Amino acid sequence: MARQHRTGASRGRTARIGAVSAVIGLVLAAATATAAAAGADLLPPLESAARATDPGFAGFSAARGQSFFDATHGGKWSCSSCHTRNPLQAGRHAATGRPIKPLAPAANPQRLSDPAKVDKWFRRNCRDVLERECSPAEKGDVITYLLSLQ
Amino acid sequence: MNRSKILLVGATLAAGITTPAALADQERFAMTHPTWNEECGSCHVAYPPQLLPAASWEALLGDLGNHFGSDASLDPATAAELLAYARMHASARTAAGEPTLRITRTRWFLHEHDEIGPATWQRPAIGSPANCAACHRGADSGDYSERRIKIPR
């Protein structure tokens, strides 16, 4: 009697775990899809801004974004000084040694998911690396590069 | 000790709250302000506001666009929120002259670390005295107690 009861309870628990796992799977899938879409959503306004200053603008380029990301632009640092040349990996702050989580959304779904944060960090880090703000074309290239990494 | 002090100490011991009295040993700090932890903890450990006097925080938070060679600028509302928090918890110790901007130059810091030689600070896993978490493994949660110290080789 007691054993039967335990077995029944155990079967019920297994079914519940299955259902919970399925729900968690769906939530994770939805979260991933949202994050990817959020990163891509940053591009259309940048594209409009790029076209406004350059009518011949022909679209963003992941390859150009990668070159830009790895270049020092005449200064001491590049983006990759802290984020490494493989943004799927964790980086390290070049001055303080503070660990930095991966920048590519494929490795860290929180990246590029909050437009205010993206603006904040482009503003600060472009001033650190290039001593000026980045243009919409440059930002779009870098975002396209980061979204291309899998 | 008057009655209100006894009550304060009793409440502090019971709840483990960090009041100035509990911070006399300068080892554990309550890092409970989400904006402070996030905004001040991206590029370096979010340093406890208790480690500098208010005048220092006012100078630092008033010039975030030029923060030790980096642009750490924030929107005015966030900067104001951080300054209010810093003022509330700032150290009461003050020194004459210009406010100290580096925690690592305060007399307290130098005294606490006087046994650490230059070669140790320059180890690759440490890099600089600003990298608290290299040795203080509980730094992110404000725990700088002796038992959480492990100096990397």
Side-chain angles (χ1 to χ4, degrees), chain A residues 76-77 82 92-101 114 116-117 120-129 132-133, chain B residues 37-39 41-47 64-65 69-75 124-128 130-131 133 140:
Chain A
K76 193 172 64 168
W77 287 350
C82 298
R92 201 172 175 213
H93 195 282
T96 68
R98 178 77 156 164
I100 298 174
K101 288 177 189 154
D114 179 345
K117 275 193 184 177
K120 180 179 85 173
W121 286 104
F122 264 126
R123 184 189 72 237
R124 294 169 159 189
N125 293 355
C126 290
R127 285 189 195 149
D128 284 350
V129 172
R132 62 168 173 82
E133 299 221 15
Chain B
N37 293 350
E38 162 141 7
E39 297 297 348
S42 300
C43 300
H44 52 66
V45 171
Y47 302 118
L64 284 173
S70 275
D71 183 333
S73 55
L74 284 170
D75 63 276
I126 301 174
S128 110
N131 189 7
D140 275 322

Side-chain angles (χ1 to χ4, degrees), chain A residues 66-142:
Chain A
Q66 180 170 15
S67 309
F68 184 88
F69 194 86
D70 291 340
T72 53
H73 307 276
K76 193 172 64 168
W77 287 350
S78 64
C79 308
S80 55
S81 299
C82 298
H83 294 293
T84 84
R85 294 173 81 93
N86 177 6
L88 290 165
Q89 291 181 345
R92 201 172 175 213
H93 195 282
T96 68
R98 178 77 156 164
I100 298 174
K101 288 177 189 154
L103 192 54
N108 179 0
Q110 290 199 316
R111 295 297 195 187
L112 306 183
S113 66
D114 179 345
K117 275 193 184 177
V118 174
D119 277 351
K120 180 179 85 173
W121 286 104
F122 264 126
R123 184 189 72 237
R124 294 169 159 189
N125 293 355
C126 290
R127 285 189 195 149
D128 284 350
V129 172
L130 299 103
E131 296 189 353
R132 62 168 173 82
E133 299 221 15
C134 291
S135 70
E138 289 165 340
K139 291 181 194 176
D141 284 344
V142 168

Side-chain angles (χ1 to χ4, degrees), chain B residues 86-102:
Chain B
R87 280 182 176 139
M88 201 184 336
H89 295 280
S91 164
R93 297 177 198 186
T94 48
E98 292 286 302
T100 313
L101 298 187
R102 291 180 186 271

